[in-house]
Amino acid sequence: DGSDREVVVEGVGRSTGLTIDLDRSNLYWTDQDRMTISYTSLLTPRSTVTIIVSTGHPYSLTLHSSNLYMTDWKDHTVSRLALPVTNISTHTVLQKGIDYVMDLVAYHSSPALLPVSPCQNHSCTSLCLPKAGRAVCGCPSHYSLMVDNITCSGPSTFLLYSQKNKISRLLMVPLTPGSQEEVPDIVLPIKRARSIQSVSYDQVEDMIYWVDHGRGEQPARQVIRRARDTGHTDRIQMFDRLERFLPFDLAIDPFTRSLYWTCANTNTINVTRLGRELVPLGPIMVGGTMDRPRFIAVHPGRQMLYVSMAGEFSGEEGGARLEMIELGTSERQVLVNTSVGAITALAVDTEEEGQVYWADIINKRLEAITGDGSGGRRGVVNEGVVEPLGL
């Protein structure tokens, strides 16, 4: 369950192979810095380290029936070494002329007799850990066990951020106050991400949505995908390889179960109903040369959608601007249209008077304005901003 961590051996180089001799309670490993195979006793951690192989380029190993099996990248071999090793021990080469074997696994159809695991029959929703002869439920990183000691609950406050083809989660509040054991940020096991442009989160179904611009295929494979933080996906996507639609940004309204997304080449704001099936409802705004919606943010309580419009020429007065659209009536209102370079990120605070924040990559600053436009705009960060690309 990740507790009771202990250092077994220290001061070693990079290890690419690891195996355990259960009969002798020894740990064997390969060392890529010293080009050796060594072992130490697990009964006495930090005890003596003994080198048993110091020739060639050992890379991976496994153990079976008192024999150590290893690969050698210099000799291009797979060989066997009987244990325990003596002064007259020699390798038996099993395979020659084999290049760059990364790993080894030894299998036997009659496994060693083990006691019946208490986890064979359990009701845990996630991990089951045998402890003192009984099954104990556990949770993966960033999850905590609920009072029923069976169900796992996810974090309530976190930050999602994307890096090219991966999405990570950063805990903003520790699961256990004062605890230093929980890793604050982890990469989520999400598959099929290629080049992430925008990320949003559906708090109702705990689903992550993202705009993916693909790997540079021609024509570009730009799609909207979704997955849970566990990596599970239903493989449903709104469209695939339809060159007419190039999604740019997206925002989720959990109140109406709606997904809003902008399209870069049709200059539209589109809406899709969320649920087990994704139901396209069409555009709520169709732009043109002077109306080019790009980044969006939604205020669910007020049913307002905030939209950045790209200018025809970056930095030109009256080009780039910030607007709001009342979703109930489709009425539009310009909030900011002067001294705007190019908006590259947009966010709305649903609690603090609906403050709308945006990043300007040309003027290199972060600014804000109240959600209804009253009170005027204000600078949030005016110095030290280099390339703001996310809020």
Side-chain angles (χ1 to χ4, degrees):
D1 60 357
S3 61
D4 300 330
R5 292 172 56 185
E6 185 177 4
V7 175
V8 176
V9 60
E10 53 188 358
V12 299
R14 296 167 297 152
S15 177
T16 54
L18 201 65
T19 190
I20 295 175
D21 184 349
L22 296 177
D23 295 333
R24 299 175 180 84
S25 296
N26 287 335
L27 173 69
Y28 293 81
W29 70 92
T30 57
D31 190 318
Q32 294 302 295
D33 294 330
R34 298 175 176 85
M35 298 296 182
T36 59
I37 297 178
S38 307
Y39 79 90
T40 189
S41 174
L42 293 174
L43 299 177
T44 54
R46 305 191 191 213
S47 59
T48 303
V49 173
T50 304
I51 298 175
I52 59 173
V53 175
S54 58
T55 59
H57 184 172
Y59 194 85
S60 57
L61 17 134
T62 191
L63 193 144
H64 174 66
S65 188
S66 295
N67 286 291
L68 191 66
Y69 296 82
M70 66 197 76
T71 64
D72 192 302
W73 280 19
K74 180 180 179 182
D75 298 333
H76 310 285
T77 59
V78 176
S79 57
R80 179 180 64 214
L81 181 64
L83 300 177
V85 176
T86 66
N87 293 332
I88 60 173
S89 295
T90 58
H91 296 183
T92 300
V93 176
L94 304 177
Q95 183 74 36
K96 296 180 179 179
I98 186 167
D99 294 332
Y100 305 113
V101 177
M102 303 298 295
D103 202 4
L104 290 172
V105 175
Y107 170 77
H108 195 281
S109 59
S110 300
L113 295 178
L114 294 173
V116 177
S117 171
C119 286
Q120 286 186 348
N121 297 300
H122 67 88
S123 55
C124 301
T125 60
S126 189
L127 302 177
C128 180
L129 309 167
K131 282 189 175 182
R134 64 188 184 90
V136 177
C137 298
C139 300
S141 294
H142 291 188
Y143 278 73
S144 56
L145 198 62
M146 299 182 69
V147 293
D148 61 4
N149 290 323
I150 294 176
T151 309
C152 291
S153 175
S156 58
T157 306
F158 54 86
L159 183 71
L160 294 176
Y161 60 94
S162 63
Q163 295 172 284
K164 186 61 177 178
N165 63 346
K166 62 184 179 181
I167 298 175
S168 300
R169 179 174 59 209
L170 172 66
L171 294 184
M172 302 174 71
V173 178
L175 293 178
T176 304
S179 173
Q180 301 297 321
E181 295 183 0
E182 184 68 65
V183 177
D185 64 312
I186 60 173
V187 177
L188 301 177
I190 293 176
K191 303 176 182 178
R192 305 176 67 217
R194 300 293 182 264
S195 180
I196 301 170
Q197 165 77 14
S198 177
V199 175
S200 192
Y201 182 72
D202 178 14
Q203 64 192 59
V204 176
E205 295 185 337
D206 296 326
M207 193 78 76
I208 300 170
Y209 288 76
W210 71 93
V211 174
D212 201 313
H213 281 192
R215 288 177 172 165
E217 294 95 334
Q218 296 296 327
R221 187 184 179 91
Q222 297 187 202
V223 297
I224 295 177
R225 292 195 171 107
R226 67 179 183 179
R228 300 193 185 278
D229 61 359
T230 58
H232 175 74
T233 176
D234 50 18
R235 300 184 71 86
I236 292 178
Q237 54 197 35
M238 295 172 52
F239 42 76
D240 194 352
R241 282 194 178 280
L242 296 181
E243 294 79 9
R244 181 182 175 189
F245 298 106
L246 300 179
F248 187 87
D249 193 22
L250 76 169
I252 291 176
D253 180 0
F255 187 68
T256 61
R257 310 295 298 123
S258 300
L259 170 67
Y260 296 94
W261 54 277
T262 56
C263 180
N265 63 337
T266 60
N267 290 322
T268 57
I269 301 176
N270 308 276
V271 59
T272 298
R273 180 179 296 131
L274 299 179
R276 180 169 296 179
E277 298 292 334
L278 299 178
V279 182
L281 302 179
I284 62 170
M285 174 194 161
V286 178
T289 303
M290 299 305 297
D291 292 323
R292 303 195 294 169
R294 291 299 181 262
F295 293 95
I296 54 176
V298 63
H299 192 304
R302 293 181 177 178
Q303 284 297 285
M304 288 289 186
L305 186 68
Y306 297 93
V307 186
S308 72
M309 296 292 180
E312 188 172 1
F313 302 101
S314 297
E316 197 175 80
E317 289 293 332
R321 62 190 186 276
L322 178 63
E323 292 190 12
M324 71 175 184
I325 301 175
E326 187 174 345
L327 295 173
T329 63
S330 297
E331 291 186 6
R332 295 167 55 184
Q333 178 182 335
V334 176
L335 295 178
V336 178
N337 64 352
T338 58
S339 300
V340 180
I343 296 177
T344 52
L346 193 63
V348 58
D349 190 335
T350 58
E351 295 182 0
E352 294 295 329
E353 300 179 350
Q355 289 279 321
V356 182
Y357 297 82
W358 71 92
D360 191 324
I361 197 170
I362 292 181
N363 294 320
K364 299 185 183 302
R365 61 194 181 202
L366 306 182
E367 297 184 81
I369 192 171
T370 54
D372 58 3
S374 63
R377 65 198 283 188
R378 61 186 177 89
V380 179
V381 181
N382 296 313
E383 297 180 358
V385 179
V386 180
E387 278 191 53
L389 293 175
L391 283 179

